Amino acid sequence: MSWNDFGTIFITLTMIAIIGLVLARRSISEVTIFEYERGLRFVRGKYDRLLEPGRYRWFGAGTSVQKADLRMQSLTVNGQEILSADSITLKVSLTAQYAIADPYIALAHYASYAQVLYSELQVAAREIISAALIDEVLANRSTLDSRLLENALPRAERLGLRLQSVNIRDVMLPGNLKNIFAQVVQARHEGLAALERARGETAALRNLANAAKLLEQSPALLQLRLLQTLSQSSGHTVVINTTPSQTLISPP
């Protein structure tokens, strides 16, 4: 075998080794799971295990990893029409804060856990608000928020989610009811103002009655009060008669 034959074999083996290394590198997959994530590892389409934060490598094309973001997420439920307990149609929107608690349930069991949670919150809102009167909906939102959260918690847990809060964002009334409630609020404020005026007048009358009683018991208090008033003004001359029937004259 000549040197040329050896060179040809060497070059061929070298090319085969290079091609093998390239193919091997392409067959190695790598993924990094960050601190706020978890990874679902599937081997040949079957769930294998949950990956904690770190860097992972594997050989072959039969393995895949699906990431789950565990950070808190926000969801807005757009306004839906709900009939209250006293047959008033309201349009109510919600906001919710949630996070993934079980990545396997949330990602492997549901195509879109966020969309399912959206529907579950709509149902929860309908159940809670339809059992409340309109005055309660408008005046006691914090109480309704607590009821909504209590109602929606088990629904979220079934989705592998942890629900932190649910709040009523907006309550919209029909146009005619807006005018009616505006008139009610105005009448309420006017009633409170009239009540305060009546209280003030009652207090003033009570003070006058007490003053009249004091003057009846001590007539000299009237002269002392008049002297006090005149002393605070100018341009007056005061004449005091010291006869038994004392009089006080204040000419202009």
Side-chain angles (χ1 to χ4, degrees), residues 57-123:
R57 295 185 180 89
W58 62 89
F59 181 81
T63 301
S64 62
V65 174
Q66 188 174 4
K67 291 184 178 182
D69 193 329
L70 305 187
R71 290 175 293 185
M72 195 64 62
Q73 301 181 56
S74 179
L75 179 66
T76 299
V77 179
N78 295 328
Q80 61 170 329
E81 291 188 350
I82 302 175
L83 197 65
S84 66
D86 45 358
S87 301
I88 303 298
T89 301
L90 306 173
K91 195 171 185 180
V92 181
S93 61
L94 309 174
T95 58
Q97 300 291 327
Y98 72 96
I100 295 178
D102 190 326
Y104 176 68
I105 294 178
L107 272 67
H109 289 188
Y110 298 95
S112 175
Y113 57 83
Q115 186 61 42
V116 178
L117 178 62
Y118 185 99
S119 299
E120 292 290 353
L121 290 176
Q122 283 186 317
V123 175

Side-chain angles (χ1 to χ4, degrees), residues 158-217:
R158 289 196 294 269
L159 303 177
L161 306 176
R162 174 172 56 85
L163 193 60
Q164 180 173 329
S165 65
V166 182
N167 301 102
I168 297 176
R169 181 182 180 183
D170 293 307
V171 177
M172 289 163 279
L173 301 172
N176 57 336
L177 281 182
K178 288 182 181 178
N179 297 331
I180 293 174
F181 272 91
Q183 294 172 8
V184 170
V185 171
Q186 182 179 358
R188 185 177 300 164
H189 284 293
E190 291 176 352
L192 290 175
L195 180 60
E196 289 300 321
R197 287 195 299 268
R199 287 176 178 172
E201 291 174 358
T202 301
L205 290 174
R206 187 181 297 111
N207 291 333
L208 287 175
N210 292 335
K213 187 175 181 181
L214 288 174
L215 291 176
E216 183 180 358
Q217 295 173 353

Side-chain angles (χ1 to χ4, degrees), residues 41-63:
R41 177 176 172 174
F42 294 87
V43 179
R44 296 183 182 89
K46 294 183 179 181
Y47 175 70
D48 178 52
R49 63 189 178 95
L50 182 70
L51 301 181
E52 298 292 331
R55 179 176 292 181
Y56 299 87
R57 295 185 180 89
W58 62 89
F59 181 81
T63 301

